[in-house]
Amino acid sequence: MIRVSEFMSEGVCRENDDLKEWWLKRLILLKAIWVAVVVILHSGLVYADARRDAIEACTQLVIDYAFYRDRPDADGVAELFSEDATFTLLGTEFKGREAIRARVAAGVGGPVFRHLISTINIRPAEGGREARGVTYVTVYQGQSETLPQTLTKPMVIGEYHDRFVQTDAGWKISERVFVPVFLPTTQDG
């Protein structure tokens, strides 16, 4: 029987040490590759989470606008906008949160509105702190606050073209432009 000590000559031990070093280098390289893959996947997941969160937050702003506008809750509407926001409605621009609040407050006690929204498309920007969106809206108007109203036709059908910005207070609408698509016919037409 050959003893291991007799079999392991100095040259064999040196080869064995070289083999161990070779394997150790490969393991370190594999570990570095694994860490890089995990970091890349994690950053992709974080980006996907941030993108999803932005879409959800901006979609909620769109929904909340219709809800508060139809109450009409001027404070609720105003809080959806950034301090320096602009809202352009049929060629009239309301600049700043306070001007937007005043626009909605002016309608308290007036006609009843219902903003029916659909097809909400939100596109976050690469940086993650801004987004753009387009929302379809059908607006109905009644003549008084007495419900139910007699429904004839929509007052207007259009789109909201929005810019959103992430602030310290969360996502806000920084710009809203109403783009009419269908307007009612006149009495003569």
Side-chain angles (χ1 to χ4, degrees):
M1 180 164 159
I2 301 177
R3 293 184 187 179
V4 173
S5 60
E6 292 173 4
F7 179 74
M8 298 292 236
S9 68
E10 188 176 312
V12 172
C13 286
R14 193 173 298 127
E15 282 182 18
N16 196 21
D17 286 343
D18 290 344
L19 188 59
K20 284 181 186 176
E21 186 177 331
W22 184 85
W23 276 108
L24 183 60
K25 286 179 181 177
R26 296 310 176 263
L27 287 174
I28 290 171
L29 180 62
L30 284 173
K31 186 173 183 178
I33 291 170
W34 175 250
V35 168
V37 166
V38 168
V39 167
I40 289 168
L41 289 175
H42 180 358
S43 65
L45 292 174
V46 168
Y47 174 75
D49 287 347
R51 182 175 167 77
R52 184 192 69 238
D53 291 348
I55 291 169
E56 286 178 14
C58 295
T59 299
Q60 192 61 53
L61 288 170
V62 169
I63 293 167
D64 288 348
Y65 174 83
F67 179 80
Y68 291 130
R69 179 59 188 91
D70 291 343
R71 295 293 162 262
D73 180 346
D75 292 332
V77 168
E79 288 304 312
L80 303 173
F81 289 84
S82 64
E83 285 289 338
D84 60 346
T86 59
F87 181 21
T88 305
L89 181 63
L90 300 173
T92 302
E93 184 177 90
F94 301 91
K95 229 170 166 30
R97 185 183 284 167
E98 291 309 313
I100 295 167
R101 181 189 324 272
R103 163 70 170 90
V104 175
V108 174
V112 174
F113 289 96
R114 287 298 179 261
H115 292 71
L116 305 181
I117 56 173
S118 63
T119 313
I120 302 171
N121 185 299
I122 307 295
R123 304 274 174 147
E126 288 296 321
R129 297 191 53 88
E130 293 183 357
R132 289 185 175 266
V134 174
T135 302
Y136 295 179
V137 60
T138 303
V139 181
Y140 291 91
Q141 178 183 352
Q143 297 308 311
S144 69
E145 291 187 16
T146 305
L147 298 177
Q149 294 280 315
T150 302
L151 184 62
T152 55
K153 60 184 173 185
M155 180 179 134
V156 66
I157 299 172
E159 300 174 353
Y160 288 124
H161 290 221
D162 294 323
R163 278 185 159 177
F164 304 93
V165 63
Q166 189 176 25
T167 69
D168 292 340
W171 283 92
K172 301 289 182 184
I173 302 168
S174 62
E175 180 183 24
R176 170 163 272 197
V177 177
F178 175 72
V179 177
V181 176
F182 298 104
L183 295 171
T185 59
T186 61
Q187 295 292 345
D188 300 330

